[in-house]
Amino acid sequence: FTQLWQGMTLGKDMFHELWINWLLTNPVTHAANVTGTFGTTLWELPERATAELLHALFSRSAEGVQRGESAAMLRSGMQALRDGFRLAGQALRDAEALSPVERQMLERTRVEAPRTLSGSAMATRMGWQADNPLGRMLNILGSVVNVPVSALGVEDAFFKGINYRMELAALAVREAKARGKTGAALAQEIRSLELQPTPTMMAVGVARPRAHG
């Protein structure tokens, strides 16, 4: 009975994952995902600029959105792109190389992570040794089948890397002003915080991309 139940569970998992991957084979799905997320990322700039204006008009306190945050986000664009490509590449090639912060960013994905058909699990789940010819063939097949899900994960990682870097740039301005820095000291403090963000900045930065993803 136990073996029958395990076989039924395995079959259900395989069907579920095949169905998800089949749904994601349509290029329109990935185009819509990229376009929508790109639009949301761009919208961050006018949204943050509006928040700056409202804060300046009605508050002007050292807390809240500070003037210059949207400009800092825009200025960080090239570094944000590099971070996006790097994070996407690591998510695709070597997830073990991700830092703890990067792991947090990618913790939640749009689809359930493969359990049965993934390249490293298919042979084991089907009861075959991964180091024999059939096991290796099954793992290769699993990797091929999961290309659509893997592509969606790469897209997700790319934009989360961009959003994280842009958010850190904005938070660096906010934190530097909260410390009372002005003039050249402010610019130096912002640069220092961008290179070595505080734990609070990193936590907020991680939460922002996850909210988008």
Side-chain angles (χ1 to χ4, degrees):
F1 178 77
T2 302
Q3 290 181 336
L4 177 62
W5 177 256
Q6 290 176 343
M8 291 175 63
T9 301
L10 178 62
K12 179 179 68 68
D13 289 346
M14 292 179 68
F15 177 79
H16 174 69
E17 291 167 24
L18 282 169
W19 174 246
I20 289 177
N21 279 281
W22 171 256
L23 292 175
L24 295 176
T25 55
N26 191 341
V28 175
T29 301
H30 295 277
N33 179 51
V34 170
T35 303
T37 311
F38 180 68
T40 301
T41 300
L42 285 182
W43 181 249
E44 279 287 305
L45 297 172
E47 182 182 58
R48 188 64 62 101
T50 302
E52 291 175 23
L53 178 61
L54 293 175
H55 183 78
L57 288 174
F58 299 107
S59 178
R60 297 189 180 182
S61 70
E63 299 180 357
V65 180
Q66 300 295 312
R67 183 177 180 182
E69 289 190 20
S70 58
M73 294 172 75
L74 185 61
R75 188 181 66 249
S76 70
M78 291 306 298
Q79 181 61 49
L81 278 173
R82 287 193 289 269
D83 284 358
F85 281 117
R86 180 183 56 78
L87 188 59
Q90 286 184 333
L92 179 64
R93 295 190 308 270
D94 186 12
E96 296 299 320
L98 295 171
S99 70
V101 171
E102 291 167 339
R103 287 177 186 275
Q104 281 184 281
M105 278 193 284
L106 301 183
E107 204 171 62
R108 186 182 68 188
T109 59
R110 285 187 170 82
V111 294
E112 184 180 358
R115 294 170 296 171
T116 306
L117 301 177
S118 64
S120 60
M122 187 171 180
T124 303
R125 287 295 301 273
M126 295 187 70
W128 292 88
Q129 294 293 326
D131 56 354
N132 65 36
L134 181 57
R136 287 193 292 269
M137 186 182 302
L138 288 172
N139 285 343
I140 292 172
L141 177 61
S143 297
V144 172
V145 169
N146 271 292
V147 165
V149 166
S150 299
L152 199 66
V154 169
E155 295 158 16
D156 189 51
F158 175 71
F159 284 105
K160 283 181 176 177
I162 291 175
N163 288 326
Y164 178 70
R165 177 55 57 187
M166 291 174 65
E167 187 66 21
L168 282 187
L171 293 173
V173 173
R174 189 179 307 181
E175 178 66 19
K177 289 191 174 184
R179 295 179 181 184
K181 303 295 183 180
T182 59
L186 174 64
Q188 184 176 358
E189 187 73 7
I190 290 172
R191 181 57 180 164
S192 176
L193 287 166
E194 287 177 347
L195 295 174
Q196 294 183 313
T198 67
T200 300
M201 288 171 59
M202 288 190 290
V204 175
V206 166
R208 191 72 174 187
R210 288 180 67 185
H212 288 180

